[in-house]
Amino acid sequence: MQLLSIPTDHNFSDYLSCGVEGFLFPLKDFSCDFFSYFTLEEIENFRKEKKEVPCFVIINKMIENKEIEKLRKTMVALDQMKIDGIYFYDLAILQIKKEESLMVPLSFFQTHMATNSETLNFYVGQGVSGAFLSNEITLEEIKQISEHSLCSFTGLLVGYPTVAMSKRKLLSNLSMKSPLDIKEPVSGQNYLVLEQGEGTSFLYGKRLNASSVYDSLREVLTYGVIKQDDLDHDTYCEVIRNFKNFNQERIDALIGRNRGFFFRKSIYRVKK
C-alpha cells in the first residue's frame, strides 16, 4: 500500500520526505468537502516539477449543465498532463472520458456508495479502474469486497469523514462563520461545518484513525490516504512519519482513537 496525502498547504517536499508517496489534489471549482483546493495551474506545475511522484485529482461535486464544457476542457488538460488518475463523483466525468477518448484512469468516489463488489464491478465494466471505499463499512466487509471486486482500492487512514453536503449557504445565511463546531443534541456527536463556494459540508467532528487495522488494510488497499485537514505542518509530518515507520501508540496520541465503522456495522446499511 502506498501512502497518499490530501494536503491543505503546499509543503509537498516536506511531506514526501516524511513518507507519503503521492498526492490527491481536490480541484478548485470541481470538488467539495476539503479544507483547501488546488487550481489546474498549480497541479500542472506540481506535475512538471515532480514528474515521478504519483499525482491524482479529485472531482467530487455534482456537475451542473452549464459547467459541462468547462469540465470537458479541464479533463482534456488533465489527460495531457498524464496525471495518474481522477477520483470522480458525477457520471459526467465517465461520459466525457468516453466521448473524448481520454486515457486518464478513473476511480469511483461517491462518498457513501462504494460499499459492495457488485456496484464496483459494474463500474469496472464501464471503464473504471479503482474505487475509494466508503468510510461506513466494517473491516470484514472491506475484506469481502476485495475478494470479489476487480478494481484497485483506496481507503481513508486519517481525516475527518464526510457526513453530508448541501448546496445551500447554511452558515452565511445565518451570519455564522466557517468553520463551525456544532453538537447534535440527540446523539451528542460533534460535527465540523464548512461553508465554501460549492455549498456547506458536514464533517464528523473526530478524525478517523485507522491505525488499529493498518496491517489488515495494507493487504487489500492499493492506496491509503492521510488528509491534512486542519492539522498544522509539524503535526501532519509526525503523523505521516509514524505511519511510514509504523507506531500506533504515537498516532493514537496525536489524533485520537476514533475507529469509525471498522468494528461496528452502520445502522444505515440497507439489508436484504
Side-chain angles (χ1 to χ4, degrees), residues 29-92:
D29 298 329
F30 284 113
S31 56
C32 56
D33 305 332
F34 298 98
F35 281 75
S36 185
Y37 301 89
F38 296 84
T39 66
L40 194 63
E41 182 180 8
E42 288 173 325
I43 294 169
E44 184 175 20
N45 289 338
F46 175 89
R47 193 59 169 165
K48 289 177 179 177
E49 294 171 6
K50 301 186 183 301
K51 295 182 177 65
E52 304 304 317
V53 176
C55 171
F56 301 88
V57 171
I58 297 172
I59 302 179
N60 71 324
K61 61 165 280 187
M62 294 186 69
I63 307 300
E64 299 180 16
N65 287 343
K66 63 184 180 181
E67 298 173 306
I68 291 293
E69 290 311 310
K70 181 180 178 181
L71 174 64
R72 186 185 305 276
K73 293 177 182 178
T74 298
M75 288 184 60
V76 169
L78 291 171
D79 189 71
Q80 291 173 346
M81 291 179 206
K82 300 189 183 305
I83 63 167
D84 295 280
I86 295 174
Y87 284 74
F88 76 98
Y89 182 99
D90 197 295
L91 296 182

Side-chain angles (χ1 to χ4, degrees), residues 32-33 61 162-168 197-202:
C32 56
D33 305 332
K61 61 165 280 187
T162 299
V163 177
M165 192 269 182
S166 171
K167 294 285 284 185
R168 294 174 292 175
E198 302 304 324
T200 306
S201 299
F202 293 81

Side-chain angles (χ1 to χ4, degrees), residues 2-17:
Q2 289 186 297
L3 296 178
L4 298 183
S5 163
I6 300 181
T8 299
D9 57 37
H10 290 68
N11 295 305
F12 311 129
S13 295
D14 290 353
Y15 304 143
L16 287 167
S17 67

